[in-house]
Amino acid sequence: MEQETLVRKRSQGKGDVKNSDHEDSDSRFTDSSGSELKKKKSTKKEKDDTPEFMKEALKDLPPKWKNMLVRACLSVVMLALFAIAVYMGPFAFTLAVILLQVKSYHEIISIAYQVYKSYDLPWFRSLSWYFLICSNYFLYGEMVSERFATLIHSEEHYLFLAHYHRLISLLAYLLGFMLFVLSLVKGRYRLQFYMFGWTHVTLLLLVTQSHLLIQNLLEGLIWLVVPVSMVICNDIMAYICGFFCGRTPLIKLSPKKTWEGFIGGAFFTVLFGWLLSGYLSQFPYLTCPNEVYSNFTVDYSHCDPMDIFHPKLYEVPLYISVLAKPFGFTLSQVSIIPFQLHVLFISAFASSIAPFGGFFASGFKRAFKIKDFGDTIPGHGGMVDRFDCQCLMATFVNVYLSTFIKFPSRTKLYHHIIAMSAQDQLALFNDLKNHLIATQNLMLN
């Protein structure tokens, strides 16, 4: 019996040793795998987005300062390109907006393709680009029909396209819709409908917003230059204020955003918008609507800017006059360009609500665990990363224009009138003449 117990103890001891050895090996494996994971994470964090031509000059700087200088240099380049587009006029700006739209669409669709490419969905990328072409044809075709009516009515085949534009657009979309239904694969229905929705939401966010951006541009370059500049200013100043003074986190979706940067960016955006709008209001090249003629030219020589771009005297409230008097200022009236007052509301939107376009993009990136939408712009990411806030801004400015400004455009009326028959044009002429005679008689009496 004693021998049996000794044998059992020895076997248990050996088993314990074996188990302890096995546990040690497991722990060593865990430690080594954990260290490997840490190394992978650290190497992932240490990814350097610095352009090749700047690496040598910035090699000794800390990552934080290196990233800031890269962003600053690329921001200067983008501002220069923005100024060149403004100088070249509405056609160059329209082309730039369309190119940015296509590149942004490519970035978002590529994310979907990379995430779900293992499912081998048929025709997904082809149909996505087809729907983009259909959407652009519909929206920009409507705009061309209005702005180039003189040219369209001089060519018979253009007139056919303009007359049946909406029908052609609908038939083109229905063709893509039927192709999507025919591409459905058993076992992948839910995923394919999910990607169908992905494509259409992307079209809504990008194509519609870029169309509104160009509509604002055609009402006068200033309605694009000033809002876009304010969003750029808010982004830059929020980054600078957050970089030097940021302490309090703003939103969990974007951990680097701070309240100090948000408030500082808002202050400088309102100030910048007031000064910029007052300066640019003196240039007819920017304030006049872009009336395009049949020879693809834009003429500003006969333009009379709207009243909102001319200085106007405003009465100063009594309490402000009383407060200013101890400082040696006697204020009864002040000259202000009305456009500057409108810009106050636009700048308030640019600094408080437009940044939520960036927060939305941050949430999207977190959902798919990606850092940026692309790597087109070093230090900034992709086109969507750079222009995410501009989408909301374009919509707001377009709604603001149609609600509070209401442009009376003779060009639009003229384009509609020349599309009428000669008999209807003559009847309209007589009605307008009678109206003017009656109005003149009332004024004389």
Side-chain angles (χ1 to χ4, degrees):
M1 291 292 292
E2 293 179 357
Q3 290 180 349
E4 288 180 1
T5 55
L6 288 171
V7 169
R8 285 178 184 175
K9 287 181 180 179
R10 287 176 182 176
S11 63
Q12 287 177 358
K14 290 180 180 178
D16 293 338
V17 171
K18 288 181 180 178
N19 290 335
S20 63
D21 291 341
H22 181 67
E23 287 174 2
D24 291 339
S25 64
D26 286 344
S27 63
R28 284 195 298 270
F29 176 76
T30 305
D31 292 340
S32 61
S33 62
S35 61
E36 286 176 4
L37 288 172
K38 288 178 181 178
K39 287 179 181 178
K40 287 180 180 179
K41 288 181 180 180
S42 62
T43 53
K44 189 175 181 181
K45 287 181 181 178
E46 289 171 2
K47 184 181 177 182
D48 192 1
D49 295 330
T50 308
E52 290 296 330
F53 66 91
M54 297 179 66
K55 282 184 177 179
E56 184 64 26
L58 304 178
K59 64 180 181 180
D60 296 327
L61 291 176
K64 183 178 180 180
W65 285 93
K66 184 188 294 185
N67 181 58
M68 191 195 76
L69 289 174
V70 170
R71 286 174 63 95
C73 293
L74 270 296
S75 297
V76 171
V77 173
M78 288 188 288
L79 288 173
L81 293 174
F82 178 71
I84 291 171
V86 173
Y87 176 78
M88 294 180 68
F91 289 115
F93 225 124
T94 300
L95 179 61
V97 170
I98 293 174
L99 291 176
L100 290 174
Q101 174 218 104
V102 172
K103 179 59 180 172
S104 300
Y105 186 79
H106 172 260
E107 290 177 354
I108 296 177
I109 292 300
S110 294
I111 293 173
Y113 182 72
Q114 290 168 7
V115 171
Y116 298 106
K117 64 181 178 181
S118 59
Y119 290 95
D120 194 23
L121 297 179
W123 303 351
F124 166 62
R125 298 196 79 169
S126 301
L127 284 175
S128 297
W129 286 104
Y130 177 79
F131 283 126
L132 175 67
I133 294 171
C134 291
S135 302
N136 278 316
Y137 177 79
F138 171 69
L139 291 174
Y140 291 107
E142 293 277 312
M143 183 179 65
V144 169
S145 298
E146 291 183 359
R147 299 287 175 172
F148 295 86
T150 305
L151 174 64
I152 288 171
H153 287 87
S154 64
E155 300 289 341
E156 187 174 350
H157 53 281
Y158 290 159
L159 188 61
F160 174 83
L161 291 174
H163 186 72
Y164 294 103
H165 171 69
R166 295 192 176 185
L167 178 61
I168 294 171
S169 302
L170 176 62
L171 292 176
Y173 177 81
L174 290 176
L175 175 62
F177 182 80
M178 291 186 292
L179 289 174
F180 167 74
V181 174
L182 293 174
S183 71
L184 292 173
V185 179
K186 187 176 180 179
R188 300 284 182 255
Y189 294 150
R190 180 180 295 180
L191 178 61
Q192 287 183 279
F193 277 103
Y194 175 75
M195 303 315 297
F196 184 79
W198 179 301
T199 299
H200 282 68
V201 170
T202 304
L203 291 172
L204 176 65
L205 293 175
L206 291 180
V207 180
T208 306
Q209 308 306 322
S210 63
H211 173 69
L212 294 177
L213 198 68
I214 294 176
Q215 289 280 33
N216 300 340
L217 177 153
L218 293 175
E219 300 296 351
L221 274 171
I222 198 168
W223 293 104
L224 184 143
V225 173
V226 172
V228 169
S229 299
M230 285 192 293
V231 172
I232 295 172
C233 173
N234 183 72
D235 189 39
I236 293 173
M237 298 311 299
Y239 178 79
I240 293 175
C241 294
F243 184 85
F244 290 104
C245 308
R247 297 290 183 275
T248 312
L250 175 63
I251 187 169
K252 291 182 179 179
L253 281 173
S254 194
K256 292 183 179 180
K257 306 288 187 194
T258 62
W259 275 105
E260 291 81 3
F262 185 79
I263 296 171
F267 172 78
F268 286 105
T269 300
V270 173
L271 179 62
F272 175 76
W274 179 270
L275 298 175
L276 183 68
S277 59
Y279 175 72
L280 297 183
S281 296
Q282 60 183 314
F283 299 106
Y285 172 76
L286 298 173
T287 58
C288 291
N290 295 295
E291 299 180 0
V292 183
Y293 298 95
S294 57
N295 58 350
F296 293 92
T297 59
V298 182
D299 185 14
Y300 303 101
S301 59
H302 304 291
C303 167
D304 184 20
M306 297 178 64
D307 291 339
I308 62 171
F309 298 110
H310 297 291
K312 184 179 178 181
L313 289 175
Y314 290 89
E315 296 291 335
V316 177
L318 181 61
Y319 68 92
I320 294 180
S321 300
V322 173
L323 292 174
K325 202 165 186 180
F327 299 96
F329 296 101
T330 304
L331 298 176
S332 58
Q333 290 183 329
V334 62
S335 177
I336 298 175
I337 300 173
F339 178 63
Q340 291 179 288
L341 300 178
H342 290 289
V343 168
L344 285 178
F345 295 99
I346 297 175
S347 60
F349 183 91
S351 57
S352 60
I353 299 178
F356 279 84
F359 302 151
F360 177 85
S362 297
F364 185 92
K365 288 185 287 187
R366 281 181 169 273
F368 291 94
K369 298 178 181 178
I370 56 175
K371 180 184 177 184
D372 296 311
F373 285 93
D375 55 359
T376 309
I377 312 171
H380 293 267
M383 292 298 176
V384 180
D385 295 288
R386 189 66 280 137
F387 298 101
D388 46 14
C389 299
Q390 298 290 355
C391 293
L392 293 178
M393 198 67 191
T395 304
F396 176 75
V397 172
N398 189 271
V399 172
Y400 191 91
L401 284 172
S402 61
T403 305
F404 299 105
I405 307 299
K406 300 185 185 297
F407 287 97
S409 175
R410 290 174 295 179
T411 304
K412 290 182 181 179
L413 292 175
Y414 173 74
H415 292 163
H416 288 295
I417 291 171
I418 63 173
M420 299 165 60
S421 64
Q423 184 177 1
D424 290 336
Q425 290 178 7
L426 183 60
L428 179 62
F429 171 77
N430 291 326
D431 290 341
L432 185 59
K433 182 179 69 174
N434 294 333
H435 171 72
L436 292 174
I437 291 172
T439 303
Q440 186 178 20
N441 291 333
L442 287 174
M443 291 177 65
L444 292 174
N445 295 331

